[in-house]
Amino acid sequence: MNNKIGRNELCHCGSGKKFKKCCIQATQVSAILEISDFEWRKLRQLEGIVIDKHLSPYVARELSSDVAKSACAEFFPEDLPEEIDQSLLFSNFFMPWFLFNWVPFDNYDVKQFDPETTIAQNYLKRYSDRLSSAERRFIETMHTTYYSFYSILEVELDKQLMVKDIMLGTTHHIKERSGTHNLKRGDIVFSRILTMNEQSIFIGMAPYIVQTRFHQDLIDFKRWLIEENDDKDLIFEDLRDVFELDLLEYFFALIERSFKQTPILCNTDGELLQFSKSRFKLSISPEEALRMLLPLTLSKDSQEFLNEATLDKAGKIKKLEFPWLKKGNKQNKSWDNTVMGHITIEQDKLSLETNSENRTQKGKKLLSKYLGEFIVFQQTLIESPEQKLKSSDKTSIKSKKNVDPNELPEIKEQIKAMAKAHWENWLNLPIPALDNETPKEAARTKLGRERLEALLLQFERHNLDMDDNLFKADINYLKGELGLD
């Protein structure tokens, strides 16, 4: 019985339209995807058969343990951080390289073994009759592949990845399933691509992701490879035949850095973050102290701060708070002022909170200058960024009923305006990651645009961790201003 629907018959979906004008396109697309998925599964099965049924038993049966030991010594750095799982690297990363890439240059007393070709090629020469035509083609195609660093551009869950080869500048669509659950746009992977039967897959991908922040380093590494290549643009044969071990070595160097390097947090003056609270004994009233410290607020009217003061039952000031400001900002030229710290006065005591050692010392000097004999320093409590985060979390739990000033509409508008001015100004600032060119200057050259794209990818990843922070980089705005697709 033939259940196939004719093009001119009524569509089975019940729309009342003919099949050719209704669901035929979706049916055809579904069929194409099913065929594509079938070809992908076949390719993955072929990979497993070649490695598990043919090459691995061949190594275990006919080659001595010295062979694998020699390959390991060439593949792995001498001192890997303890946090790196070498067993994971061995099975997922080392073995495909060992079988398809490593050339021993020693026959290890094995008969009919060519020391100047790979293990897979030796097996192909000796046991070709044991391999199907597809298996032979798989081994032959594997020897045309090359390792490189790939930046993830798009992730389609359970289906595919769109990636860019950082070394060659080419883009590829990779059929992938499990990787789509772990990878995000901007991540960088070290792997090689095998293409057979119009299916492209990663084989032997390193199990550790290279962080987005290393993209600029990889561009510098690429420039070094070009210099080593007599200033000629790289092609895949260069990566495969000349620079493979350099690529491997650099991958391990980046992974080691990612385990060892702790991000350095700085304030808007570029100073190392160190949260501190300095306490002082005060011998004058809060009103008098505010009057004397008014220059630190960049305001001429103390009443705006007095209106926000907390009063006791008798109407006297119980608590008074105000920011310590300075004009302009070292790193953000468009800012009118910078918040240097926060001052709180409670009857006979005063506290100063800052986020760097330099600001703490400067604040103590200014308080002494303006208040003189009326203030006496007592102590300074210091918190790391991690400790500050924990204490802030506890405080926020206790004060859920209090209104966050940053949530007020007028404050939000001010922050939006400051953020907009910051990013407008950023376009014309020299950026270290762009070789100290401004973004607009960098956008005029091929290398500059490559660095810009990497930097914007890094901003995108940072945005994911910033929730609703109004200072997020507006990527579409920046791309539009810089003429980037």
Side-chain angles (χ1 to χ4, degrees):
M1 182 177 179
N2 186 5
N3 292 323
K4 186 177 180 181
I5 302 174
R7 287 171 52 82
N8 292 309
E9 292 182 30
L10 290 177
C11 187
H12 53 70
C13 73
S15 66
K17 298 178 182 179
K18 290 184 178 180
F19 183 52
K20 66 182 180 181
K21 293 187 177 180
C22 192
C23 292
I24 189 170
Q25 186 175 3
T27 303
Q28 291 171 339
V29 169
S30 177
I32 291 170
L33 290 175
E34 189 173 337
I35 292 170
S36 175
D37 199 49
F38 175 71
E39 291 295 334
W40 173 76
R41 287 199 302 271
K42 276 178 57 179
L43 186 53
R44 281 301 185 193
Q45 289 170 358
L46 189 60
E47 174 193 2
I49 290 170
V50 169
I51 293 176
D52 299 331
K53 180 182 176 181
H54 294 285
L55 300 182
S56 294
Y58 168 64
V59 170
R61 184 179 62 250
E62 300 190 28
L63 305 182
S64 70
S65 59
D66 291 339
V67 178
K69 287 179 181 178
S70 297
C72 280
E74 195 169 330
F75 184 84
F76 290 103
E78 289 185 6
D79 299 312
L80 278 176
E82 293 181 0
E83 299 88 345
I84 294 179
D85 187 342
Q86 291 198 41
S87 62
L88 183 63
L89 286 171
F90 188 90
S91 58
N92 295 1
F93 188 31
F94 167 76
M95 281 302 293
W97 176 86
F98 171 54
L99 297 173
F100 296 102
N101 291 70
W102 183 63
V103 177
F105 296 110
D106 188 328
N107 64 12
Y108 294 94
D109 297 324
V110 178
K111 295 179 180 179
Q112 300 181 45
F113 187 85
D114 183 352
E116 296 187 3
T117 61
T118 67
I119 289 173
Q121 286 171 321
N122 271 285
Y123 185 87
L124 180 61
K125 287 179 183 178
R126 187 172 180 183
Y127 298 114
S128 179
D129 58 326
R130 296 182 182 179
L131 296 161
S132 68
S133 59
E135 291 162 358
R136 286 194 294 270
R137 186 178 164 219
F138 180 91
I139 292 176
E140 290 165 353
T141 306
M142 278 296 292
H143 286 93
T144 67
T145 64
Y146 63 93
Y147 282 98
S148 190
F149 292 91
Y150 295 92
S151 173
I152 307 300
L153 299 182
E154 292 179 14
V155 178
E156 192 174 352
L157 196 63
D158 286 323
K159 292 184 179 179
Q160 66 176 356
L161 302 166
M162 181 179 175
V163 302
K164 182 176 181 179
D165 185 333
I166 296 175
M167 298 296 112
L168 301 186
T170 54
T171 56
H172 307 265
H173 285 86
I174 307 298
K175 187 82 174 184
E176 182 60 52
R177 281 189 175 174
S178 59
T180 63
H181 291 266
N182 304 318
L183 295 169
K184 297 178 182 177
R185 175 172 163 82
D187 284 340
I188 298 167
V189 297
F190 184 67
S191 187
R192 57 172 157 208
I193 298 172
L194 173 76
T195 301
M196 280 181 64
N197 303 328
E198 299 182 353
Q199 302 291 311
S200 293
I201 61 174
F202 278 137
I203 287 189
M205 183 171 73
Y208 289 101
I209 296 170
V210 177
Q211 297 172 4
T212 310
R213 62 191 173 102
F214 293 126
H215 200 143
Q216 299 292 346
D217 298 81
L218 284 166
I219 293 173
D220 289 333
F221 176 59
K222 171 186 174 180
R223 290 174 67 187
W224 178 81
L225 291 179
I226 291 173
E227 289 175 5
E228 292 293 305
N229 201 39
D230 297 325
D231 291 324
K232 296 176 184 176
D233 285 340
L234 299 171
I235 56 177
F236 78 88
E237 289 92 345
D238 298 323
L239 301 185
R240 183 190 64 196
D241 302 330
V242 182
F243 297 119
E244 180 181 280
L245 292 180
D246 293 298
L247 290 161
L248 272 171
E249 184 180 343
Y250 199 72
F251 164 75
F252 279 113
L254 291 179
I255 295 305
E256 287 186 44
R257 284 172 60 190
S258 68
F259 275 96
K260 293 179 179 179
Q261 184 174 326
T262 303
I264 298 174
L265 302 176
C266 298
N267 63 22
T268 55
D269 282 334
E271 299 162 348
L272 187 67
L273 276 186
Q274 177 182 282
F275 297 98
S276 69
K277 187 172 186 178
S278 300
R279 294 174 177 171
F280 303 82
K281 188 169 182 62
L282 192 65
S283 58
I284 54 176
S285 68
E287 295 96 330
E288 186 64 15
L290 171 62
R291 183 186 65 78
M292 298 173 74
L293 295 175
L294 198 59
L296 297 182
T297 69
L298 300 183
S299 174
K300 296 181 178 179
D301 183 11
S302 61
Q303 194 59 44
E304 62 177 293
F305 303 110
L306 292 171
N307 290 340
E308 299 295 326
T310 302
L311 307 179
D312 60 18
K313 293 180 180 180
K316 291 185 177 181
I317 292 179
K318 184 179 179 181
K319 186 177 182 180
L320 181 64
E321 299 180 76
F322 53 90
W324 163 30
L325 304 176
K326 76 166 184 178
K327 291 183 179 179
N329 183 269
K330 187 188 299 184
Q331 294 188 354
N332 302 281
K333 304 301 181 185
S334 63
W335 290 16
D336 293 329
N337 55 59
T338 301
V339 178
M340 299 289 287
H342 191 80
I343 296 172
T344 302
I345 302 174
E346 297 178 86
Q347 296 176 347
D348 60 350
K349 58 186 178 181
L350 180 149
S351 64
L352 167 68
E353 294 181 68
T354 69
N355 62 13
S356 76
E357 183 180 3
N358 184 56
R359 289 182 179 181
T360 298
Q361 298 303 323
K362 189 172 183 179
K364 287 165 68 175
K365 289 179 181 178
L366 287 172
L367 289 173
S368 179
K369 172 186 174 182
Y370 286 110
L371 296 176
E373 61 183 10
F374 301 117
I375 191 170
V376 177
F377 172 72
Q378 292 182 312
Q379 64 176 335
T380 295
L381 302 176
I382 297 174
E383 288 183 306
S384 68
E386 294 78 14
Q387 291 170 325
K388 182 67 175 177
L389 183 61
K390 288 181 182 179
S391 62
S392 297
D393 289 343
K394 291 178 182 177
T395 303
S396 64
I397 292 172
K398 291 179 181 178
S399 59
K400 279 184 177 179
K401 296 181 180 180
N402 295 336
V403 178
D404 183 354
N406 291 327
E407 293 301 316
L408 297 174
E410 60 271 24
I411 300 298
K412 277 191 172 183
E413 288 305 312
Q414 289 180 21
I415 295 174
K416 281 183 182 179
M418 289 175 68
K420 183 174 183 295
H422 165 73
W423 290 113
E424 287 175 351
N425 191 46
W426 178 84
L427 294 167
N428 297 292
L429 286 176
I431 308 295
L434 303 177
D435 273 351
N436 288 318
E437 289 187 324
T438 70
K440 287 187 175 179
E441 289 171 341
R444 297 174 192 147
T445 65
K446 181 181 177 181
L447 177 60
R449 291 171 76 88
E450 187 177 7
R451 288 192 181 282
L452 268 174
E453 288 169 358
L455 188 58
L456 293 180
L457 269 177
Q458 190 174 348
F459 285 173
E460 282 190 50
R461 289 307 302 273
H462 286 169
N463 284 355
L464 293 176
D465 300 326
M466 293 176 70
D467 297 325
D468 296 326
N469 192 301
L470 296 176
F471 264 91
K472 278 185 179 180
D474 186 337
I475 305 298
N476 291 332
Y477 164 75
L478 295 176
K479 284 185 175 180
E481 292 295 306
L482 296 168
L484 298 174
D485 293 333

